[in-house]
Amino acid sequence: MYRKFLKRWMDFVLALVAIIVLSPVFIIVAILVRFKLGGPVLFKQKRPGLHEKIFMMYKFRTMTEERDESGELLPDAVRLTKFGKMLRRTSLDELPELFNILKGDMSLVGPRPLLIQYLELYNAHQRRRHEVRPGLSGLAQISGRNAISWEEKFNLDVQYVDNVSFLGDWKIIFFTIKKVFMKEGINAEASATAELFRGNKEDG
């Protein structure tokens, strides 16, 4: 009952309330992004969602558009500014995803929506993460976010898929808020952003 019907209604109502309550924050962050990083204010990227259906995900920009002499974008670590790091550390860059939740592309809780190019790299077990809507936060995020391995993330994603519940979702929401304030697990130890998933050494 919860997974099929109530979860979507809870997502819609809570996302709508959050957008209304946080509207001043949206405006302030948008102005700061435009002033410090330039336009566009939003970062838009196609991601796979429920049943691998592709949707456009929205976030606040955290990087500049700096390029080298040949027109190629500079590495993430160079383009990620101090202001951008602050947005990621506080998860303010994720706020526009509330509109994805309103549209039904995403849920408040579920496996994070990853890059389209990863689809061909998943094994059968990992692909099960797409049996539910991707989330603003999920079990992997409260268990380490970018500080844990890809294998651990995918195992936690599938664990969530197999155990979706009302109480479980609220537990994840609570611990997400706690981790945001404690600023835990935002970046992988050795890079400005999460390491790319390059596939499995052994298919399983």
Side-chain angles (χ1 to χ4, degrees), residues 9-51:
W9 281 106
M10 185 180 80
D11 285 338
F12 184 88
V13 171
L14 291 181
L16 182 60
V17 170
I19 289 171
I20 294 171
V21 171
L22 297 174
S23 56
V25 179
F26 273 92
I27 295 171
I28 292 171
V29 173
I31 292 172
L32 289 173
V33 170
R34 184 67 179 85
F35 177 74
K36 292 180 175 291
L37 300 176
V41 169
L42 292 180
F43 169 77
K44 297 185 289 184
Q45 190 175 58
K46 292 181 178 180
R47 299 287 177 96
L50 178 64
H51 304 315

Side-chain angles (χ1 to χ4, degrees), residues 4-174:
K4 290 185 176 181
F5 303 107
L6 298 181
K7 181 175 172 67
R8 173 65 192 137
W9 281 106
M10 185 180 80
D11 285 338
F12 184 88
V13 171
L14 291 181
L16 182 60
V17 170
I19 289 171
I20 294 171
V21 171
L22 297 174
S23 56
V25 179
F26 273 92
I27 295 171
I28 292 171
V29 173
I31 292 172
L32 289 173
V33 170
R34 184 67 179 85
F35 177 74
K36 292 180 175 291
L37 300 176
V41 169
L42 292 180
F43 169 77
K44 297 185 289 184
Q45 190 175 58
K46 292 181 178 180
R47 299 287 177 96
L50 178 64
H51 304 315
E52 301 182 7
K53 179 181 178 181
I54 305 302
F55 70 96
M56 188 69 74
M57 187 184 76
Y58 309 112
K59 299 177 72 170
F60 281 121
R61 278 183 57 198
T62 58
M63 296 185 186
T64 67
E65 293 292 310
E66 293 178 86
R67 299 175 183 268
D68 59 23
E69 297 80 2
S70 61
E72 296 293 326
L73 287 171
L74 294 176
D76 290 354
V78 176
R79 297 187 296 119
L80 182 60
T81 65
K82 183 177 180 180
F83 173 68
K85 290 179 181 178
M86 183 277 293
L87 290 181
R88 292 188 180 192
R89 187 170 61 249
T90 57
S91 294
L92 289 172
D93 63 316
E94 310 277 2
L95 287 180
E97 291 170 41
L98 289 169
F99 290 97
N100 286 121
I101 296 173
L102 276 187
K103 290 171 59 182
D105 298 325
M106 294 178 59
S107 174
L108 284 170
V109 179
R112 285 293 296 163
L114 301 177
L115 300 177
I116 290 177
Q117 57 260 41
Y118 292 173
L119 288 175
E120 62 184 23
L121 302 177
Y122 296 145
N123 59 37
H125 175 72
Q126 294 163 350
R127 193 174 293 276
R128 293 196 58 222
R129 70 193 311 278
H130 294 290
E131 293 178 9
V132 296
R133 285 184 177 86
L136 187 64
S137 185
L139 188 57
Q141 280 59 53
I142 66 168
S143 303
R145 201 170 179 177
N146 289 343
I148 61 177
S149 71
W150 279 112
E151 183 178 5
E152 291 172 306
K153 288 180 186 178
F154 292 139
N155 286 338
L156 288 167
D157 288 343
V158 175
Q159 180 181 327
Y160 173 78
V161 169
D162 289 335
N163 297 280
V164 176
S165 70
F166 177 80
L167 290 178
D169 277 4
W170 275 104
K171 179 180 178 180
I172 290 173
I173 291 171
F174 172 78

